[in-house]
Amino acid sequence: MGRHGTARRGSDHRRRGPDRGRRRPRRRRGLKILAWTTGLLVLTGGVGAYALVRHLNGNLKSVDIDAELGKDRPAASDNGAMNILLLGSDSRRGITAAGASDPGRSDTAMVLHVYPGRQQAALVSIPRDTLVTRPTCTTPTGATDPGGPRKMFNASFSVGGPACAVSTVEKLSGLRMDHYLEINFGGFQKVIDALGGVDITTTKPLKDRASGVDLQAGTHHLNGEQALALVRTRDAVGDGGDLGRIQLQQAFLKSLLKQVSSAGLLANPARLLTVADTATKAMTTDSKLAGATALVGLASDLKGLSSSGLQTLTLPVRQDTQDINRVTPLPTESQQVWDALRTDQPVPKSATARSMADKGPAGSVVTP
């Protein structure tokens, strides 16, 4: 077996195995929290609100996805549902001097589907080593990449940046991505520090020299560096592949959502300002979210979402028949997932019953 199809991943560019050997997880996704926190800060702006909004606007980086992709896209929902592609790059920009010019590669990708009413959501992780049909994309140099079948999913970001990643997800799912939010290793680490760290409980010892995680079973208060090491680990959970790591990341995200939602940030204006400033510096968004007022709107949309209302799963996959280090979507089950989101229904258990993903104990390693 190929360690859940992801033990030594490469991409369309032959690096040292599929992801330079296991060094790239990512975490992400207190992204809803980041937007929510920014919204709270702006809403408490008072006399300095205008200057504050300008400052936060200046922090944000954005990409005009609509302009790059044109009109050949799935139709947008008209019932209040919303799809957001949450993407984490493995760039170390903000962590090391060498990472300053590193654009990174797509390390983690999740489709967040927010149901009408904005009280419930589904989070679907797409394994980075999934073989997909990549659409034609424009490269950073302006050239055209023809795409084609059996391309590694995470290579879309490397080939054509955010727009290519969005286009690949839309072709795979048939769903229009209404928004795009990206964060890198450095941004994640700094946001956790700005939040004052995060409390988690591990049900078993976790040690991985590659990621740096070293925790005994029990309750821990993690700073940004420790949290990054936790969500990056492969060898400490499951069989060392990407699918176990995804389960761990989803569990960590739920723990983070629960903690931040009850953290009482409004009672601490100084920390609120720090979190908002750090979060907006850490994110790249689509152009529709490229402003503090737009993030306030997103924050308002998501403020009723809690960890208990979040269904998490991984795209149903099987080991590829030609390459044990790759996975391919289960056609029928994957379609069940996307159809459920398109019709705003919970994803049925039958969709993941035969999948290699969401199996094993990795999802129960971290608890709130």
mmCIF file of all heavy atoms in Angstrom, residues 131-167:
data_model
loop_
_atom_site.group_PDB
_atom_site.id
_atom_site.type_symbol
_atom_site.label_atom_id
_atom_site.label_comp_id
_atom_site.label_asym_id
_atom_site.label_seq_id
_atom_site.Cartn_x
_atom_site.Cartn_y
_atom_site.Cartn_z
ATOM 1 N N LEU A 131 -5.646 12.762 -8.227
ATOM 2 C CA LEU A 131 -5.478 12.925 -9.664
ATOM 3 C C LEU A 131 -6.793 13.427 -10.260
ATOM 4 O O LEU A 131 -7.846 12.829 -10.070
ATOM 5 C CB LEU A 131 -5.075 11.600 -10.314
ATOM 6 C CG LEU A 131 -3.691 11.078 -9.919
ATOM 7 C CD1 LEU A 131 -3.436 9.713 -10.558
ATOM 8 C CD2 LEU A 131 -2.596 12.064 -10.325
ATOM 9 N N VAL A 132 -6.712 14.550 -10.957
ATOM 10 C CA VAL A 132 -7.901 15.193 -11.514
ATOM 11 C C VAL A 132 -7.615 15.587 -12.957
ATOM 12 O O VAL A 132 -6.478 15.546 -13.421
ATOM 13 C CB VAL A 132 -8.288 16.442 -10.703
ATOM 14 C CG1 VAL A 132 -8.595 16.093 -9.261
ATOM 15 C CG2 VAL A 132 -7.184 17.512 -10.781
ATOM 16 N N THR A 133 -8.652 15.999 -13.658
ATOM 17 C CA THR A 133 -8.490 16.604 -14.972
ATOM 18 C C THR A 133 -8.356 18.109 -14.781
ATOM 19 O O THR A 133 -9.296 18.765 -14.331
ATOM 20 C CB THR A 133 -9.681 16.289 -15.882
ATOM 21 O OG1 THR A 133 -9.752 14.875 -16.087
ATOM 22 C CG2 THR A 133 -9.528 16.978 -17.232
ATOM 23 N N ARG A 134 -7.175 18.628 -15.073
ATOM 24 C CA ARG A 134 -6.948 20.064 -14.871
ATOM 25 C C ARG A 134 -7.382 20.831 -16.111
ATOM 26 O O ARG A 134 -7.030 20.468 -17.226
ATOM 27 C CB ARG A 134 -5.469 20.332 -14.585
ATOM 28 C CG ARG A 134 -5.206 21.787 -14.198
ATOM 29 C CD ARG A 134 -3.799 21.998 -13.682
ATOM 30 N NE ARG A 134 -2.779 21.854 -14.697
ATOM 31 C CZ ARG A 134 -1.695 21.105 -14.577
ATOM 32 N NH1 ARG A 134 -1.488 20.404 -13.468
ATOM 33 N NH2 ARG A 134 -0.807 21.029 -15.544
ATOM 34 N N PRO A 135 -8.149 21.897 -15.919
ATOM 35 C CA PRO A 135 -8.565 22.704 -17.070
ATOM 36 C C PRO A 135 -7.403 23.528 -17.620
ATOM 37 O O PRO A 135 -6.344 23.628 -17.001
ATOM 38 C CB PRO A 135 -9.646 23.612 -16.482
ATOM 39 C CG PRO A 135 -9.282 23.730 -15.035
ATOM 40 C CD PRO A 135 -8.700 22.396 -14.649
ATOM 41 N N THR A 136 -7.605 24.116 -18.758
ATOM 42 C CA THR A 136 -6.615 25.032 -19.324
ATOM 43 C C THR A 136 -6.455 26.223 -18.391
ATOM 44 O O THR A 136 -7.441 26.802 -17.929
ATOM 45 C CB THR A 136 -7.062 25.521 -20.706
ATOM 46 O OG1 THR A 136 -7.204 24.388 -21.561
ATOM 47 C CG2 THR A 136 -6.055 26.489 -21.299
ATOM 48 N N CYS A 137 -5.210 26.579 -18.090
ATOM 49 C CA CYS A 137 -4.951 27.671 -17.156
ATOM 50 C C CYS A 137 -3.874 28.602 -17.712
ATOM 51 O O CYS A 137 -3.014 28.177 -18.489
ATOM 52 C CB CYS A 137 -4.474 27.129 -15.801
ATOM 53 S SG CYS A 137 -5.740 26.248 -14.845
ATOM 54 N N THR A 138 -3.929 29.843 -17.279
ATOM 55 C CA THR A 138 -2.905 30.813 -17.632
ATOM 56 C C THR A 138 -1.829 30.810 -16.571
ATOM 57 O O THR A 138 -2.120 30.898 -15.374
ATOM 58 C CB THR A 138 -3.502 32.226 -17.754
ATOM 59 O OG1 THR A 138 -4.529 32.219 -18.748
ATOM 60 C CG2 THR A 138 -2.432 33.238 -18.148
ATOM 61 N N THR A 139 -0.572 30.712 -16.993
ATOM 62 C CA THR A 139 0.540 30.670 -16.053
ATOM 63 C C THR A 139 0.934 32.080 -15.637
ATOM 64 O O THR A 139 0.514 33.065 -16.264
ATOM 65 C CB THR A 139 1.759 29.974 -16.688
ATOM 66 O OG1 THR A 139 2.307 30.828 -17.701
ATOM 67 C CG2 THR A 139 1.360 28.636 -17.303
ATOM 68 N N PRO A 140 1.751 32.220 -14.594
ATOM 69 C CA PRO A 140 2.186 33.551 -14.161
ATOM 70 C C PRO A 140 2.919 34.345 -15.233
ATOM 71 O O PRO A 140 2.943 35.573 -15.190
ATOM 72 C CB PRO A 140 3.110 33.246 -12.974
ATOM 73 C CG PRO A 140 2.601 31.948 -12.435
ATOM 74 C CD PRO A 140 2.183 31.169 -13.648
ATOM 75 N N THR A 141 3.499 33.659 -16.216
ATOM 76 C CA THR A 141 4.213 34.356 -17.284
ATOM 77 C C THR A 141 3.304 34.738 -18.444
ATOM 78 O O THR A 141 3.753 35.355 -19.411
ATOM 79 C CB THR A 141 5.359 33.481 -17.830
ATOM 80 O OG1 THR A 141 4.803 32.281 -18.407
ATOM 81 C CG2 THR A 141 6.325 33.107 -16.716
ATOM 82 N N GLY A 142 2.026 34.353 -18.349
ATOM 83 C CA GLY A 142 1.085 34.664 -19.418
ATOM 84 C C GLY A 142 0.938 33.562 -20.441
ATOM 85 O O GLY A 142 0.144 33.690 -21.384
ATOM 86 N N ALA A 143 1.675 32.484 -20.287
ATOM 87 C CA ALA A 143 1.550 31.352 -21.202
ATOM 88 C C ALA A 143 0.290 30.555 -20.874
ATOM 89 O O ALA A 143 -0.350 30.761 -19.830
ATOM 90 C CB ALA A 143 2.789 30.457 -21.111
ATOM 91 N N THR A 144 -0.061 29.631 -21.748
ATOM 92 C CA THR A 144 -1.241 28.790 -21.543
ATOM 93 C C THR A 144 -0.814 27.364 -21.233
ATOM 94 O O THR A 144 -0.050 26.754 -21.990
ATOM 95 C CB THR A 144 -2.143 28.793 -22.791
ATOM 96 O OG1 THR A 144 -2.606 30.118 -23.037
ATOM 97 C CG2 THR A 144 -3.341 27.870 -22.591
ATOM 98 N N ASP A 145 -1.275 26.845 -20.112
ATOM 99 C CA ASP A 145 -1.049 25.453 -19.765
ATOM 100 C C ASP A 145 -2.297 24.678 -20.185
ATOM 101 O O ASP A 145 -3.405 24.998 -19.740
ATOM 102 C CB ASP A 145 -0.809 25.294 -18.265
ATOM 103 C CG ASP A 145 -0.560 23.843 -17.880
ATOM 104 O OD1 ASP A 145 -1.556 23.120 -17.625
ATOM 105 O OD2 ASP A 145 0.608 23.447 -17.858
ATOM 106 N N PRO A 146 -2.148 23.648 -21.034
ATOM 107 C CA PRO A 146 -3.325 22.964 -21.578
ATOM 108 C C PRO A 146 -4.046 22.067 -20.592
ATOM 109 O O PRO A 146 -5.168 21.615 -20.843
ATOM 110 C CB PRO A 146 -2.732 22.142 -22.729
ATOM 111 C CG PRO A 146 -1.319 21.876 -22.306
ATOM 112 C CD PRO A 146 -0.887 23.117 -21.573
ATOM 113 N N GLY A 147 -3.420 21.789 -19.442
ATOM 114 C CA GLY A 147 -4.066 20.903 -18.480
ATOM 115 C C GLY A 147 -4.154 19.494 -19.008
ATOM 116 O O GLY A 147 -3.275 19.019 -19.714
ATOM 117 N N GLY A 148 -5.250 18.806 -18.661
ATOM 118 C CA GLY A 148 -5.446 17.440 -19.118
ATOM 119 C C GLY A 148 -5.725 16.494 -17.974
ATOM 120 O O GLY A 148 -5.734 16.881 -16.804
ATOM 121 N N PRO A 149 -5.951 15.211 -18.280
ATOM 122 C CA PRO A 149 -6.290 14.222 -17.251
ATOM 123 C C PRO A 149 -5.082 13.796 -16.447
ATOM 124 O O PRO A 149 -3.935 14.010 -16.825
ATOM 125 C CB PRO A 149 -6.845 13.054 -18.070
ATOM 126 C CG PRO A 149 -6.160 13.172 -19.397
ATOM 127 C CD PRO A 149 -5.996 14.640 -19.638
ATOM 128 N N ARG A 150 -5.355 13.207 -15.285
ATOM 129 C CA ARG A 150 -4.342 12.628 -14.398
ATOM 130 C C ARG A 150 -3.281 13.645 -13.994
ATOM 131 O O ARG A 150 -2.078 13.372 -14.004
ATOM 132 C CB ARG A 150 -3.717 11.384 -15.037
ATOM 133 C CG ARG A 150 -4.700 10.225 -15.174
ATOM 134 C CD ARG A 150 -3.999 8.950 -15.660
ATOM 135 N NE ARG A 150 -2.970 8.508 -14.726
ATOM 136 C CZ ARG A 150 -3.203 7.823 -13.603
ATOM 137 N NH1 ARG A 150 -4.453 7.511 -13.260
ATOM 138 N NH2 ARG A 150 -2.202 7.451 -12.828
ATOM 139 N N LYS A 151 -3.723 14.823 -13.614
ATOM 140 C CA LYS A 151 -2.834 15.849 -13.074
ATOM 141 C C LYS A 151 -3.050 15.912 -11.566
ATOM 142 O O LYS A 151 -4.178 15.829 -11.079
ATOM 143 C CB LYS A 151 -3.131 17.220 -13.678
ATOM 144 C CG LYS A 151 -3.054 17.265 -15.197
ATOM 145 C CD LYS A 151 -1.651 17.037 -15.703
ATOM 146 C CE LYS A 151 -1.582 17.209 -17.207
ATOM 147 N NZ LYS A 151 -0.224 16.961 -17.742
ATOM 148 N N MET A 152 -1.962 16.087 -10.823
ATOM 149 C CA MET A 152 -2.112 16.180 -9.379
ATOM 150 C C MET A 152 -2.835 17.461 -9.006
ATOM 151 O O MET A 152 -2.530 18.537 -9.511
ATOM 152 C CB MET A 152 -0.749 16.126 -8.687
ATOM 153 C CG MET A 152 -0.548 14.832 -7.927
ATOM 154 S SD MET A 152 1.036 14.770 -7.093
ATOM 155 C CE MET A 152 0.872 16.078 -5.913
ATOM 156 N N PHE A 153 -3.778 17.317 -8.094
ATOM 157 C CA PHE A 153 -4.616 18.460 -7.736
ATOM 158 C C PHE A 153 -3.801 19.649 -7.256
ATOM 159 O O PHE A 153 -4.045 20.784 -7.658
ATOM 160 C CB PHE A 153 -5.628 18.046 -6.659
ATOM 161 C CG PHE A 153 -6.411 19.210 -6.114
ATOM 162 C CD1 PHE A 153 -7.450 19.751 -6.839
ATOM 163 C CD2 PHE A 153 -6.072 19.782 -4.896
ATOM 164 C CE1 PHE A 153 -8.165 20.843 -6.366
ATOM 165 C CE2 PHE A 153 -6.773 20.870 -4.402
ATOM 166 C CZ PHE A 153 -7.822 21.398 -5.151
ATOM 167 N N ASN A 154 -2.821 19.416 -6.388
ATOM 168 C CA ASN A 154 -2.107 20.544 -5.803
ATOM 169 C C ASN A 154 -1.234 21.275 -6.823
ATOM 170 O O ASN A 154 -0.805 22.405 -6.575
ATOM 171 C CB ASN A 154 -1.267 20.094 -4.607
ATOM 172 C CG ASN A 154 0.035 19.420 -5.004
ATOM 173 O OD1 ASN A 154 0.051 18.594 -5.916
ATOM 174 N ND2 ASN A 154 1.110 19.754 -4.323
ATOM 175 N N ALA A 155 -0.980 20.656 -7.981
ATOM 176 C CA ALA A 155 -0.162 21.308 -8.990
ATOM 177 C C ALA A 155 -0.901 22.458 -9.671
ATOM 178 O O ALA A 155 -0.267 23.319 -10.283
ATOM 179 C CB ALA A 155 0.296 20.295 -10.026
ATOM 180 N N SER A 156 -2.223 22.492 -9.568
ATOM 181 C CA SER A 156 -2.970 23.579 -10.212
ATOM 182 C C SER A 156 -2.530 24.941 -9.694
ATOM 183 O O SER A 156 -2.376 25.894 -10.453
ATOM 184 C CB SER A 156 -4.476 23.397 -9.989
ATOM 185 O OG SER A 156 -4.949 22.250 -10.662
ATOM 186 N N PHE A 157 -2.322 25.035 -8.392
ATOM 187 C CA PHE A 157 -1.886 26.294 -7.795
ATOM 188 C C PHE A 157 -0.485 26.655 -8.273
ATOM 189 O O PHE A 157 -0.189 27.810 -8.581
ATOM 190 C CB PHE A 157 -1.910 26.177 -6.272
ATOM 191 C CG PHE A 157 -1.537 27.440 -5.539
ATOM 192 C CD1 PHE A 157 -2.467 28.452 -5.349
ATOM 193 C CD2 PHE A 157 -0.261 27.611 -5.027
ATOM 194 C CE1 PHE A 157 -2.132 29.615 -4.673
ATOM 195 C CE2 PHE A 157 0.089 28.757 -4.339
ATOM 196 C CZ PHE A 157 -0.847 29.769 -4.161
ATOM 197 N N SER A 158 0.397 25.669 -8.369
ATOM 198 C CA SER A 158 1.755 25.913 -8.841
ATOM 199 C C SER A 158 1.765 26.364 -10.292
ATOM 200 O O SER A 158 2.540 27.235 -10.684
ATOM 201 C CB SER A 158 2.608 24.646 -8.699
ATOM 202 O OG SER A 158 2.666 24.198 -7.364
ATOM 203 N N VAL A 159 0.890 25.776 -11.100
ATOM 204 C CA VAL A 159 0.857 26.073 -12.532
ATOM 205 C C VAL A 159 0.236 27.437 -12.818
ATOM 206 O O VAL A 159 0.768 28.228 -13.593
ATOM 207 C CB VAL A 159 0.079 24.973 -13.282
ATOM 208 C CG1 VAL A 159 -0.270 25.415 -14.706
ATOM 209 C CG2 VAL A 159 0.884 23.691 -13.310
ATOM 210 N N GLY A 160 -0.897 27.724 -12.187
ATOM 211 C CA GLY A 160 -1.631 28.929 -12.554
ATOM 212 C C GLY A 160 -2.154 29.749 -11.407
ATOM 213 O O GLY A 160 -3.035 30.605 -11.608
ATOM 214 N N GLY A 161 -1.662 29.531 -10.194
ATOM 215 C CA GLY A 161 -2.055 30.363 -9.062
ATOM 216 C C GLY A 161 -3.489 30.155 -8.621
ATOM 217 O O GLY A 161 -4.134 29.152 -8.967
ATOM 218 N N PRO A 162 -4.020 31.111 -7.864
ATOM 219 C CA PRO A 162 -5.366 30.975 -7.312
ATOM 220 C C PRO A 162 -6.447 30.728 -8.356
ATOM 221 O O PRO A 162 -7.351 29.905 -8.135
ATOM 222 C CB PRO A 162 -5.586 32.312 -6.601
ATOM 223 C CG PRO A 162 -4.208 32.762 -6.236
ATOM 224 C CD PRO A 162 -3.335 32.325 -7.372
ATOM 225 N N ALA A 163 -6.380 31.414 -9.483
ATOM 226 C CA ALA A 163 -7.432 31.255 -10.498
ATOM 227 C C ALA A 163 -7.466 29.829 -11.032
ATOM 228 O O ALA A 163 -8.543 29.257 -11.247
ATOM 229 C CB ALA A 163 -7.224 32.249 -11.637
ATOM 230 N N CYS A 164 -6.300 29.236 -11.242
ATOM 231 C CA CYS A 164 -6.253 27.856 -11.736
ATOM 232 C C CYS A 164 -6.758 26.886 -10.671
ATOM 233 O O CYS A 164 -7.447 25.913 -10.980
ATOM 234 C CB CYS A 164 -4.834 27.503 -12.158
ATOM 235 S SG CYS A 164 -4.687 25.919 -13.036
ATOM 236 N N ALA A 165 -6.430 27.165 -9.399
ATOM 237 C CA ALA A 165 -6.928 26.319 -8.316
ATOM 238 C C ALA A 165 -8.446 26.376 -8.243
ATOM 239 O O ALA A 165 -9.120 25.345 -8.102
ATOM 240 C CB ALA A 165 -6.314 26.756 -6.988
ATOM 241 N N VAL A 166 -9.002 27.577 -8.349
ATOM 242 C CA VAL A 166 -10.463 27.732 -8.324
ATOM 243 C C VAL A 166 -11.097 27.029 -9.514
ATOM 244 O O VAL A 166 -12.092 26.306 -9.374
ATOM 245 C CB VAL A 166 -10.849 29.227 -8.318
ATOM 246 C CG1 VAL A 166 -12.343 29.402 -8.571
ATOM 247 C CG2 VAL A 166 -10.465 29.873 -6.991
ATOM 248 N N SER A 167 -10.530 27.221 -10.696
ATOM 249 C CA SER A 167 -11.084 26.593 -11.890
ATOM 250 C C SER A 167 -11.059 25.075 -11.780
ATOM 251 O O SER A 167 -12.020 24.391 -12.157
ATOM 252 C CB SER A 167 -10.286 27.038 -13.121
ATOM 253 O OG SER A 167 -10.834 26.482 -14.305
#
